[in-house]
């Protein structure tokens, strides 16, 4: 039985630093290998540089049978930012983040992911730099329904194509992947030569095999050229 009472009695808050609304579990010793149970009304979880391997559907799920401080549903709705940078996460169950309806920032940078789970709809910033993501590990509609997404970081992976990018995106980092070609529809619309893509003001595609100079029609709708190789 987990202890009941003041959240500062939680084991998590013995290993980690819990301040109002924030839980800091960085480089926890002994090794933290799974997502910690969170106190009620956690807004920010920083769990960088640990040994977390896997994120399961129940880590951020509703656990309703328990009336103690481990009652997760009240945590889940309050989480706004989660940072798992620098763990060894290689697997995330598909529904793992589905209850995180308020989540705005998620970092999974510097992990071992080859594919992405379903992402929460209100994300503003998503960072999966420095993983092992393959194009076949990112579903065609992975970002399509994220209609607040402004910052998308997918640099230093093994992507072979640019995924579908919603119009809300301002910053797109795809440097150091294995992208070898683009199409007109990657950023623009082949059936609408008057289309101007709103918002997008920083695209990095440097460090990929693609020669951007071969795809002038792919950028006519952009307000600034992507950073990359032009010859
Ligand atoms: C990059 O893509 C090419 C095919 O376009 C493939 O042959 C090669 O193995 C890929 N390299 C890496 C590091 O995945
Ligand atoms: C271009 O195609 C899209 C999707 O097929 C469609 O929704 C849009 O109305 C078309 N635009 C023009 C200018 O034909």
């Amino acid at each position: 039985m987990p202890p009941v009472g003041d959240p500062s009695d939680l084991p998590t808050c013995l290993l980690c630093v819990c301040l109002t609304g924030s839980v800091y579990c960085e480089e926890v010793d002994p090794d933290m290998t799974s997502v910690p149970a969170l106190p009620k009304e956690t807004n920010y979880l920083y769990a960088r540089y640990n040994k977390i391997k896997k994120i399961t559907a129940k880590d951020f799920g509703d656990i309703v049978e328990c009336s103690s401080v481990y009652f997760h549903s009240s945590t889940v709705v309050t989480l706004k930012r989660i940072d798992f940078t620098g763990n060894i996460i290689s697997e995330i169950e598909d529904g793992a983040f589905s209850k995180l309806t308020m989540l705005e920032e998620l970092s999974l940078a510097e992990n071992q992911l080859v594919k992405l789970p379903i992402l929460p709809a209100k994300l503003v910033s998503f960072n999966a730099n420095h993983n092992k993501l393959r194009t076949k590990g990112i579903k065609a509609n992975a970002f399509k329904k994220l209609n607040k997404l402004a910052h998308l970081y997918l640099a230093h992976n093994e992507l072979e194509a640019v995924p579908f990018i919603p119009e809300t995106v301002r910053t797109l980092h795809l440097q150091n992947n294995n992208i070898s070609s683009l199409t007109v529809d990657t950023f623009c619309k082949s059936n609408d030569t008057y289309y101007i893509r709103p918002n997008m003001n920083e695209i990095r595609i440097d460090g990929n095999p693609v020669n951007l100079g071969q795809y002038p029609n792919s950028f006519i709708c952009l307000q600034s050229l992507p950073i990359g190789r032009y010859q």
Side-chain angles (χ1 to χ4, degrees), residues 60-126:
F60 297 110
D62 292 301
I63 296 178
V64 289
E65 77 272 15
C66 181
S67 61
S68 75
V69 287
Y70 275 70
F71 185 81
H72 280 66
S73 51
S74 58
T75 300
V76 158
V77 295
T78 58
L79 273 167
K80 288 187 183 152
R81 182 185 300 158
I82 297 177
D83 191 345
F84 284 125
T85 299
N87 281 273
I88 49 173
I89 300 166
S90 59
E91 190 185 346
I92 300 179
E93 289 179 3
D94 233 342
F97 299 130
S98 63
K99 302 269 166 54
L100 302 175
T101 54
M102 302 291 278
L103 196 71
E104 292 176 356
E105 284 184 50
L106 176 61
S107 177
L108 301 169
E110 298 171 48
N111 278 284
Q112 306 285 328
L113 293 168
V114 296
K115 61 183 182 125
L116 293 181
I118 296 169
L119 295 169
K122 290 215 178 125
L123 276 187
V124 174
S125 176
F126 178 64

Side-chain angles (χ1 to χ4, degrees), residues 130-198:
H130 290 278
N131 275 274
K132 296 178 173 174
L133 293 171
R134 310 295 296 265
T135 288
K136 67 176 195 296
I138 299 186
K139 294 189 177 79
N141 60 358
F143 306 113
K144 203 163 200 162
K145 289 185 180 156
L146 309 186
N147 58 18
K148 295 195 157 53
L149 190 66
H151 309 286
L152 179 57
Y153 304 103
L154 299 170
H156 295 270
N157 278 285
E158 294 168 24
L159 299 178
E160 276 145 14
V162 180
F164 175 86
I165 308 297
E167 276 191 340
T168 49
V169 170
R170 296 169 180 279
T171 318
L172 175 64
H173 284 192
L174 291 166
Q175 66 270 29
N176 297 87
N177 274 281
N178 195 17
I179 297 165
S180 56
S181 67
L182 300 176
T183 72
V184 174
D185 292 303
T186 303
F187 301 113
C188 302
K189 294 186 179 176
S190 51
N191 68 348
D192 181 356
T193 52
Y194 293 99
Y195 173 72
I196 303 288
R197 183 180 261 267

Side-chain angles (χ1 to χ4, degrees), residues 22 33 39 57 169:
S22 301
T33 57
V169 170

